[in-house]
Each structure stands twice: as structure tokens, then as C-alpha cells.
Amino acid sequence: MPGLIVNPETPHYVPAPPTKVDLEYADLPIIDFSEMATKEGRLKLAQQARDAMAEHGFLYVINHGYTTSETERIFDIADIPFSRVTEEEKKTYVAQIKQTGSYQGYKPRQYWHIDGGVRDQLEHYNINKDVNKRQHPEALRPFLPEIDRFARHNHEEVLYPILRLLAVGMELPEETFVNMHGFSSIGETYGANSTENKRIIDLTYSFDKHSYPRSEEEESKTKNVWLKGHTDFGTITILYSQPVAALQILTKDGKWKWVKHIENGLVINVGDSLEFLSGGFYRATIHRVVQPPPDQHRYTRLGAFYFALTDDNVKLAPIMESPVLQRFGVTKRFDGVEPPTMEAWRKGRTAAYGQTELKANENGVEEEIINGVVVKHYN
């Protein structure tokens, strides 16, 4: 049939079965995108999203436009950079993280320091939403059209609706945040094409894999923590739910609670940049990754993410035109410091994470200063 698209073949990734351990899960709201079809539904969802992000900084999304089989295909593709690329070829595509403030390419395992001299066992492969910005491992190249479609779906069919709901929640024009997140927006220029004024944002699309076991001694030194408690530096993070229980959030009452797997669901959270823009009204919730429960110890944890950032030139200052901020006030401000641009913030956070020496405060929380702003890490 003319025009029929035949996707290239790749081995099917089989995820772990869900844990049977009785875990203490965070009670996070679920947003059903099928209710977007009516004005009444959108108003209801705007209230739900506003309350969820102000209270938790996390929520789930269901009926987001991708079928279960389409999501499974994305995980098949997500596994390619790890299972079908040799260690030697990976070296060609290692990201120059500290030099450029960009994760594009591979973040090798053991790049980040966790605690007690123990380094991470997490491998990333990160792709700009402009999938042709740079070269990719040979095994991944036939799948770039699918990755491009997936990136566009996340940006336009998931991110934009969430941003509209959150703008309405702050009583701002519906497109306020959307207008800061162009799919082809101001950002890095690159290589020989720099004179063409290519306008792009840095990191938006990521696969990762926790696939290397740690010794009992390493688990003891880090108290079973794989990634310290942290906030994301962008505006919105979209995580495709997967069954290995490892993600936890720090609740307002100071407890770490697990994020539950929802089949074909999305886990959405606020990052620093949206907390800055909302004056603290929306919370960049602290989250971490820990050792899974015993019945999942032998399984790898494969992740598929879409990290959203504003255009690089956006200044991350509170939007004081919001009647909500005028009524309730700003709780997140830059006292005596010029608010950073998105570009400065992402480069500073990216280059520093897991590399700088942190200072512990009186509560044991570790701190560093980036662009004049205190960034906290929680063990």
C-alpha cells in the first residue's frame, strides 16, 4: 500500500513484573486527559492540576494519546542505546557534560558521586528534540523518525496541555507557559549551522538504565540510595511509568514515599524553573531513586523521559501578573540575586550535578550555590 510506514525491527524489551511488596505509596492525583474534550472538563482538570502541583509537585496522567502497544514500542527503542551499542562505540558519543553544560549523548555510569565514595550505576543516553542535531550510534539511526514523532507528541500533546492547565490555575492567559516552550525555540547554536540561526533547546528526551549491580558494601554506604534527593532543573518532567519500584518523593511531612507504577501512565513533576516562574506556587518536589524491593533486585530499570525547559533566553523570574501571586504572595524569590535565564540555570545545574563538593548544613542536607541560588541535595 502506498505510504505505508514499516518500522524497523528491534528485540522486544520485556519489563520486570510489578513488585508484590507492600510499599507506602504517595497519594498522588490522577489527571485523565480524556476529560479535555469539554470546557467543563478542562476547568475541572485545571483545578486538579493546580492543587496537585501546589501540594505535591507530582501527578499522574492517563489517556495521554499513546496506546499501550505504542508505549511498549518506545521502551523497545529506549533499550537500543544500551543493549545494541558496544562499549567501544559508546565512547564516541559520550556527552561533554562539564565542558558544555549539556547531557546530549551518553552519561556514563560512575560519573556522579552519590555518597561515601560510591559512584552511580546509571547510564543515560540523551537526545535533543531536534533528533538531527548530532550524530547517534548506528543501531539507533533507523529509529530516529519514531523518536522524532514521540518527542513531538510529548511536547504538543502532553506538555502543552499540562502547561495550559497550570496557567489557568494561576489565573494567567492559557498560553502563558506554552509561549515560553517553543518546539523550535531559542537555545544553543551549533557547528557549521550556527550561522543559520538554528533555534533549539538543549536536553529534552532521555533514555536511562540502571543495569549494573552494586555490592552490599556500596548499598550500605549509600543507605540504598541510587540517586540523592534532588529537584529537576527544567519546568516539567514527563516520565513514562515503568514497573521497577525505585522512585520516591519527599512529602510535606518529611517522609519518603514510593511512586506507584500505573500501566501506560505518565508521572509528571514540576522542576526548579517552573517553581521560579510561579514564585513558589508550584512546587519542585524533591525526589530520589533507591534500591528496588527484594523481588525486583535482579531486574534492570529502563526509563523513558521527556524533560521540558523554557526557551534559553527566558528569565526565570516570578510572573507577578498572576492574580494568584498577588493574593497569596511569592514564596520563592531571588533575594539580592538577578534571576538566571534558562540557559544559565540548565548549564549551571548540569555541569555541577554529582561533580561538586557539597556542604552539609545543620540538618544534614547538602548544599551548593549555582547562579547565586542555594541548591539542596537530600540523603
Side-chain angles (χ1 to χ4, degrees):
M1 180 183 295
L4 181 66
I5 298 175
V6 179
N7 291 324
E9 293 185 1
T10 191
H12 178 55
Y13 175 78
V14 179
T19 181
K20 295 180 180 178
V21 176
D22 185 18
L23 303 175
E24 187 176 8
Y25 291 107
D27 184 18
L28 301 178
I30 299 174
I31 300 291
D32 186 347
F33 269 14
S34 68
E35 298 185 48
M36 288 279 197
T38 66
K39 181 179 179 181
E40 293 75 15
R42 289 192 296 274
L43 289 174
K44 172 188 171 184
L45 294 184
Q47 185 66 51
Q48 288 179 335
R50 166 194 161 125
D51 294 346
M53 292 315 201
E55 177 69 19
H56 305 285
F58 267 73
L59 56 79
Y60 298 106
V61 167
I62 59 173
N63 295 317
H64 47 79
Y66 257 46
T67 65
T68 298
S69 61
E70 287 173 321
T71 298
E72 288 176 352
R73 172 69 176 179
I74 287 302
F75 278 92
D76 294 346
I77 295 172
D79 194 45
I80 293 171
F82 312 110
S83 64
R84 292 183 53 192
V85 180
T86 67
E87 295 302 316
E88 191 62 31
E89 188 182 6
K90 287 178 183 179
K91 294 176 183 177
T92 305
Y93 300 99
V94 170
Q96 302 300 305
I97 300 171
K98 289 191 74 171
Q99 298 91 325
T100 64
S102 168
Y103 281 119
Q104 287 184 56
Y106 282 100
K107 195 257 352 140
R109 63 190 182 101
Q110 299 193 325
Y111 177 77
W112 293 325
H113 174 253
I114 305 302
D115 199 19
V118 178
R119 306 190 76 81
D120 75 281
Q121 295 291 354
L122 173 64
E123 191 173 26
H124 279 178
Y125 188 72
N126 299 292
I127 306 172
N128 189 279
K129 68 182 183 313
D130 176 356
V131 297
N132 297 310
K133 181 181 177 182
R134 57 176 291 163
Q135 188 64 274
H136 302 282
E138 185 174 357
L140 195 62
R141 293 172 199 169
F143 301 88
L144 291 180
E146 290 180 84
I147 294 174
D148 178 66
R149 290 193 294 272
F150 184 58
R152 289 180 181 276
H153 174 80
N154 278 284
H155 202 89
E156 296 169 0
E157 306 301 328
V158 180
L159 172 65
Y160 279 175
I162 289 291
L163 291 176
R164 291 185 180 110
L165 294 177
L166 295 178
V168 171
M170 289 184 65
E171 299 175 26
L172 290 165
E174 195 174 54
E175 300 299 302
T176 299
F177 295 130
V178 168
N179 290 338
M180 299 177 183
H181 293 76
F183 193 79
S184 298
S185 296
I186 222 163
E188 293 178 342
T189 55
Y190 58 98
N193 290 325
S194 61
T195 57
E196 298 175 18
N197 196 27
K198 295 285 185 182
R199 306 202 308 165
I200 49 185
I201 298 174
D202 184 58
L203 168 64
T204 54
Y205 190 66
S206 177
F207 303 130
D208 73 21
K209 194 169 189 178
H210 281 280
S211 57
Y212 304 91
R214 298 201 311 190
S215 68
E216 290 185 14
E217 181 184 5
E218 288 177 319
E219 293 290 3
S220 175
K221 285 182 177 179
T222 63
K223 302 178 179 66
N224 297 326
V225 172
W226 286 4
L227 281 182
K228 292 179 184 179
H230 65 281
T231 56
D232 293 341
F233 61 81
T235 49
I236 294 290
T237 299
I238 302 168
L239 164 65
Y240 278 69
S241 186
Q242 54 75 48
V244 177
L247 179 62
Q248 295 181 333
I249 68 170
L250 185 61
T251 59
K252 278 188 171 181
D253 60 3
K255 293 183 179 179
W256 290 104
K257 294 187 178 180
W258 300 79
V259 175
K260 188 177 181 64
H261 170 55
I262 294 183
E263 189 69 27
N264 200 31
L266 306 178
V267 182
I268 312 288
N269 69 271
V270 167
D272 294 339
S273 301
L274 189 59
E275 182 172 290
F276 295 154
L277 291 168
S278 69
F281 185 72
Y282 295 132
R283 296 179 61 215
T285 298
I286 299 145
H287 55 285
R288 69 180 184 180
V289 179
V290 299
Q291 184 185 42
D295 61 349
Q296 293 183 326
H297 278 186
R298 65 186 179 89
Y299 293 97
T300 59
R301 179 178 181 265
L302 182 67
F305 300 79
Y306 192 82
F307 292 98
L309 296 81
T310 69
D311 303 352
D312 265 357
N313 60 355
V314 170
K315 186 170 285 191
L316 301 177
I319 303 174
M320 293 310 301
E321 294 83 359
S322 165
V324 170
L325 290 193
Q326 293 173 20
R327 289 198 303 271
F328 296 102
V330 174
T331 61
K332 190 75 173 183
R333 63 175 74 246
F334 298 90
D335 294 326
V337 177
E338 181 71 11
T341 63
M342 184 72 256
E343 179 180 22
W345 188 246
R346 70 169 172 81
K347 286 185 175 180
R349 283 291 312 270
T350 300
Y353 187 80
Q355 295 291 300
T356 54
E357 188 168 340
L358 305 176
K359 180 185 293 186
N361 65 21
E362 62 274 12
N363 299 317
V365 177
E366 297 171 320
E367 299 179 346
E368 61 183 335
I369 306 294
I370 297 177
N371 297 117
V373 180
V374 176
V375 176
K376 296 181 180 182
H377 302 265
Y378 298 74
N379 259 343

